Amino acid sequence: MSTAAKDPVRAASLLPLTLEQVCFRHGDQTLLQDINLSVSERGKTIVLGPNGAGKSLLMRLCHGLLDPSSGDIRWALDGRDAAPTIRRQQAMVFQRPVLLRRSALANVVHALALQGVARAERTARGEEALERFGLLPLAGRPARVMSGGEQQRLALARAWALRPEILFLDEPTSALDPSAVKAVEDAVLTFHAAGTRIVMTTHDLGQARRLADDVVFLCDGRLLEHTPAETFFRQPQSAEAAAFLRGDLVW
Amino acid sequence: MDENPLTQAFRLILELDPALVGIVSLSLKVSLSAVAVAAVLGLPLGALLALYRFRGRGAAVASLNALMGLPPVVAGLMIYLLLSRAGPLGSLGLLFTPTAMIIVQTLLVFPIIAALARQVIEDLWDEYREQLQSLGSGRLRAIPTLLWDARFSLVTGVLAGFGRASAEVGAVLIVGGNIDGVTRVMTTAIALETSRGNLALALGLGIVLMLLGLLINISIYVIGEQTKRRLG
Amino acid sequence: MRQRFWFRPPYAALAGGLLSLALLLAVATAPADPPFIVVASTTSTEQSGLFGHIAPRFTEATGVRVRVVAVGTGQAFAIARAGDADILLVHDPDGEAEFVAAGFGVERSPVMFNDFVILGPANDPAGIAGAQSAVEALQRIAAAQVPFASRGDDSGTHRAEQRLWAAADIDPAGRWYRELGSGMGPTMNTAAGMDAYVVADRATWLNFHNRQNLVILFQGDEVLFNRYGSVLINPERHPHLKHDLAIQWHEWLVSAPGQAAIASYEINGEPLFFPNAD
């Protein structure tokens, strides 16, 4: 079985990921302040917090779509030639998948081409990824005319084909109907089973309880808690997290 | 009694009069070549302007937009001075040839295509940027992806460019010379017939020109709509 | 460490390839032609249909094709000065003499003439039909202040019209005098539309179909004769031109067959040009 963990190409691990004193400012607003966080080699981290807490921003900083205003974001892998490897070994799934105006399979193949996968391998890897998420019958279907749930599954299949060591998911289910939500959660478990590190934001507390190994709680741009899920849901450390769990904080 | 000139125009069309066919096919060849060259140059340039921020970008965008209004006669004069024997490119001997007409029409069409491409690609980049960056695509590598995904919108700009190219008369008259059988196209033939007072024949030729434009636009529209419906 | 997005730029090369392909295509569309010369001439010769009549006869005799660039006389001189035409055929004897004197041309030969006519609305509000001379006709138009359409484009016809005004000692100005800046045909279209008088060459007039109220009101004065000359371009100034072929055309025009071809061009039984080679 081909899994991310067993990928022979992978020489060294990216993880753990370490954030030190990370700040992000936009204009004169500080949107994230003094974030210290370590993302270990294994597990499923769920990032929780009210709306505007900076969850999506934190994901984008970790994934490298944005640069921090100050502080350090460090991967275990380092050195002069590490940048392409770091980019190639992570993937992200967004709230609204951005799919290209071409077939489902061609979307996956395009991502593989960007990653530098040899032309001869792309189609086979793309089909394998589609099959894993039940999309192989739709391989020739234009991505833009698929349903919302199918599109998100395709985004997951695309990420799967890239064999990432770490997968970021930013509210992947908030625009989906319940049956599609279930499919995404199953997909997250599939990635996890293959050894992929999961970091995900959600504002569905039930989903968080179902999936989380550990929880990062953000409020107002600060990281207030990073604890095992069981601890977080039973005995939150901060007053804000307690209020959040009671539903007293506006999301 | 003389034949009604309008009837005459349609008789020439229906009989595929060789002179008329020559004029129509030269018109198509010149304008389609100009649009092709302008698209090959203008689409990537528009995309570069959309994706990159650099000193002087504002000025480049503004002048591109201003060039859309370049009067064909001025474009014709510029290319005439360039291609004239007394001009810098005179030794190429291109003046009064179809190539000169393609060059001048390219100059007219290029700003339309580039300016529209910039606008369309800029909007699309807003939508795609995070996803493409996440997949490891740099800006340069994103250009072909974006151009391909924006193809339906871009076709509109290319069609507008074809409209400008096939409709203009001032520029091709100056650099082509309206030479019978060599550089006479639909619009210069219409101007000549108007000069001769053959208003109805001129109008007949004009109708042919419009029908051709309509035909091309309809076919591309239909193909585009079908593909769009298929691809979403 | 900070992440950088990496990319490979294979598309730069691809775009370059496409570009050169397109340029090649554009250049390749220039047809490979049999021998030809470019004649810079006036709109009157082209619009009257004369070239369509005589050029095929020349081609038949010599195998050389004639490409006519028909523009105003002023522009024809400019094209010839720049070396963009192999030979001139215009109707401005003074301008032609100057062109030769300035060293741009080497030889001018008279080829043919036709005449100018004064056209106007059939009811002739200025009453020029009874004038004794062309000069008097223009004086009557100026006195009556009736609309007059002038080419205003520095063409041979425009220059001839200005010489007539000068001879009449009138500096035409005012709302009645309308400079159009157009060729002969468009000027007649406009004159017909606004019932204006206009000085036109007979050949273009005979070939003109949108006459409305326009008729010939005055003709026949010798000052209205319109002389066409062929001018050879100086090979020292423009060595790249096809002087051998141009000389063939120049000599054919004034030869017996060339002159006969000119004389045989008629519209409704009326000849348009009268050969007058020496």
Side-chain angles (χ1 to χ4, degrees):
Chain A
M1 193 178 105
S2 150
T3 70
K6 289 175 185 167
D7 188 342
V9 177
R10 182 160 305 156
S13 175
L14 291 182
L15 297 166
L17 165 67
T18 314
L19 279 70
E20 254 176 35
Q21 295 296 111
V22 167
C23 293
F24 188 85
R25 286 179 283 274
H26 184 77
D28 50 6
Q29 266 186 307
T30 299
L31 301 175
L32 281 178
Q33 197 168 1
D34 300 334
I35 304 288
N36 292 298
L37 174 67
S38 177
V39 178
S40 61
E41 283 90 342
R42 295 200 47 88
K44 305 186 292 297
T45 300
I46 301 293
V47 181
L48 290 174
N51 262 355
K55 304 187 295 286
S56 292
L57 202 52
L58 180 65
M59 303 283 276
R60 281 165 172 74
L61 285 165
C62 289
H63 189 44
L65 296 179
L66 295 169
D67 288 329
S69 307
S70 63
D72 264 333
I73 298 176
R74 269 200 316 275
W75 298 92
L77 198 65
D78 213 336
R80 223 163 250 294
D81 306 324
T85 315
I86 290 170
R87 166 101 336 257
R88 261 181 302 205
Q89 295 192 15
Q90 47 176 315
M92 182 156 174
V93 170
F94 297 86
Q95 180 176 348
R96 290 178 187 286
V98 176
L99 298 169
L100 305 178
R101 278 199 184 82
R102 46 186 94 185
S103 71
L105 180 60
N107 265 277
V108 181
V109 165
H110 172 260
L112 290 170
L114 287 177
Q115 210 193 32
V117 172
R119 189 175 292 273
E121 278 180 54
R122 290 175 201 161
T123 305
R125 256 173 85 166
E127 284 173 347
E128 185 265 332
L130 290 180
E131 184 168 26
R132 180 162 303 260
F133 296 92
L135 291 170
L136 196 53
L138 305 182
R141 178 87 55 94
R144 293 287 191 116
V145 300
M146 292 166 52
S147 73
E150 286 167 347
Q151 291 201 8
Q152 195 59 291
R153 263 154 65 209
L154 177 55
L156 286 158
R158 176 169 62 185
W160 177 268
L162 299 175
R163 299 175 184 171
E165 190 180 348
I166 179 166
L167 174 66
F168 297 97
L169 302 100
D170 185 20
E171 308 262 6
T173 59
S174 61
L176 301 180
D177 59 55
S179 66
V181 170
K182 172 75 166 59
V184 171
E185 287 181 15
D186 289 348
V188 169
L189 294 176
T190 306
F191 272 98
H192 176 66
T196 305
R197 186 66 171 86
I198 301 290
V199 180
M200 170 172 164
T201 67
T202 180
H203 57 234
D204 176 346
L205 278 179
Q207 184 172 67
R209 283 178 207 270
R210 286 193 293 276
L211 293 177
D213 294 329
D214 58 319
V215 171
V216 169
F217 181 71
L218 289 181
C219 190
D220 205 15
R222 290 167 187 275
L223 193 158
L224 298 184
E225 295 192 36
H226 183 197
T227 50
E230 206 180 326
T231 317
F232 179 82
F233 289 115
R234 197 158 30 88
Q235 202 171 11
Q237 313 279 297
S238 61
E240 287 88 345
F244 177 79
L245 288 174
R246 283 198 308 272
D248 289 354
L249 276 182
V250 182
W251 300 354
Chain B
M1 199 191 134
D2 278 355
E3 188 182 7
N4 176 332
L6 261 182
T7 325
Q8 188 192 347
F10 281 104
R11 186 175 53 76
L12 293 178
I13 300 161
L14 293 176
E15 290 177 353
L16 294 178
D17 176 75
L20 183 68
V21 169
I23 288 173
V24 171
S25 61
L26 183 66
S27 288
L28 287 177
K29 191 169 83 175
V30 167
S31 295
L32 290 175
S33 307
V35 168
V37 177
V40 166
L41 297 172
L43 293 177
L45 184 93
L48 284 173
L49 281 176
L51 299 193
Y52 286 90
R53 297 286 175 273
F54 52 89
R55 188 188 292 274
R57 177 182 176 275
V61 170
S63 38
L64 206 57
N65 288 338
L67 275 177
M68 283 199 283
L70 180 69
V73 178
V74 177
L77 197 57
M78 283 160 54
I79 298 299
Y80 172 82
L81 293 173
L82 204 63
L83 297 183
S84 165
R85 285 288 174 176
L89 299 181
S91 57
L92 297 177
L94 292 178
L95 196 64
F96 303 141
T97 65
T99 306
M101 299 160 82
I102 293 172
I103 292 172
V104 79
Q105 289 197 345
T106 302
L107 178 65
L108 289 173
V109 172
F110 166 80
I112 295 183
I113 293 181
L116 186 92
R118 183 198 64 79
Q119 187 62 54
V120 167
I121 297 300
E122 210 164 272
D123 292 349
L124 198 61
W125 180 236
D126 274 351
E127 189 189 337
Y128 280 19
R129 181 174 56 210
E130 286 195 327
Q131 181 68 66
L132 288 181
Q133 283 186 345
S134 167
L135 293 174
S137 173
R139 285 170 193 260
L140 196 59
R141 178 62 181 79
I143 286 176
T145 309
L146 291 165
L147 286 174
W148 180 245
D149 267 46
R151 56 196 180 274
F152 301 120
S153 313
L154 294 175
V155 161
T156 311
V158 171
L159 280 180
F162 179 75
R164 176 150 153 111
S166 61
E168 77 79 29
V169 56
V172 287
L173 192 60
I174 294 178
V175 305
N178 192 25
I179 297 169
D180 194 9
V182 182
T183 57
R184 184 161 298 165
V185 290
M186 297 294 288
T187 53
T188 57
I190 290 168
L192 179 65
E193 291 309 329
T194 307
S195 302
R196 286 176 168 164
N198 287 333
L199 303 190
L201 181 57
L203 186 62
L205 289 168
I207 291 170
V208 177
L209 181 63
M210 288 196 299
L211 288 178
L212 269 177
L214 197 64
L215 200 70
I216 290 174
N217 273 280
I218 288 179
S219 5
I220 294 183
Y221 177 79
V222 168
I223 295 170
E225 282 300 302
Q226 280 176 351
T227 325
K228 209 189 287 186
R229 207 166 312 127
R230 223 160 37 76
L231 292 185
Chain C
M1 67 166 285
R2 275 211 172 163
Q3 303 169 22
R4 289 264 170 259
F5 294 111
W6 62 285
F7 58 80
R8 301 163 303 140
Y11 283 82
L14 190 66
L18 270 176
L19 171 65
S20 29
L21 193 75
L23 286 177
L24 205 70
L25 182 88
V27 172
T29 50
D33 286 304
F36 67 89
I37 52 168
V38 173
V39 179
S41 188
T42 62
T43 48
S44 54
T45 48
E46 168 87 349
Q47 287 174 14
S48 65
L50 175 73
F51 269 108
H53 180 75
I54 65 170
R57 288 167 166 73
F58 171 71
T59 305
E60 204 175 300
T62 60
V64 178
R65 286 170 193 264
V66 180
R67 295 186 177 181
V68 183
V69 177
V71 290
T73 301
Q75 197 184 342
F77 280 128
I79 285 175
R81 268 198 300 275
D84 293 323
D86 299 303
I87 192 162
L88 269 173
L89 181 66
V90 289
H91 57 115
D92 180 17
D94 294 350
E96 291 156 29
E98 260 174 55
F99 187 80
V100 173
F104 291 107
V106 286
E107 185 188 319
R108 183 217 179 246
S109 297
V111 173
M112 62 190 183
F113 69 94
N114 67 351
D115 61 342
F116 295 113
V117 292
I118 304 180
L119 310 172
N123 64 351
D124 192 13
I128 67 167
Q132 296 302 307
S133 68
V135 164
E136 192 192 333
L138 288 192
Q139 282 165 339
R140 289 186 185 189
I141 291 170
Q145 304 263 304
V146 289
F148 181 94
S150 168
R151 292 277 293 273
D153 62 350
D154 196 30
S155 61
T157 307
H158 182 229
R159 291 177 183 192
E161 178 213 309
Q162 287 185 312
R163 281 196 294 275
L164 286 177
W165 287 116
D169 204 17
I170 291 169
D171 182 13
R175 281 188 47 79
W176 60 275
Y177 185 78
R178 294 165 189 180
E179 283 201 40
L180 301 183
S182 326
M184 195 69 258
T187 302
M188 288 195 290
N189 277 331
T190 310
M194 60 189 188
D195 278 338
Y197 287 87
V198 59
V199 172
D201 68 278
R202 186 188 297 273
T204 312
W205 164 251
L206 285 177
N207 227 328
F208 183 71
H209 298 278
N210 181 34
R211 297 183 175 180
Q212 302 182 39
N213 272 333
L214 283 186
V215 292
I216 295 180
L217 291 173
F218 186 89
Q219 59 185 327
D221 188 339
E222 221 173 278
V223 300
L224 291 177
F225 283 3
N226 182 20
R227 293 170 180 82
Y228 286 82
S230 172
V231 184
L232 282 173
I233 311 234
N234 188 348
E236 282 168 23
R237 264 184 194 272
H238 295 299
H240 64 274
L241 293 178
K242 298 166 183 162
H243 295 284
D244 295 349
L245 302 184
I247 288 170
Q248 265 188 289
W249 162 254
H250 185 76
E251 289 178 347
W252 182 83
L253 277 178
V254 300
S255 72
Q259 295 276 292
I262 291 168
S264 66
Y265 184 52
E266 296 178 345
I267 289 178
N268 298 330
E270 274 194 75
L272 275 70
F273 294 92
F274 305 93
N276 72 336
D278 301 330

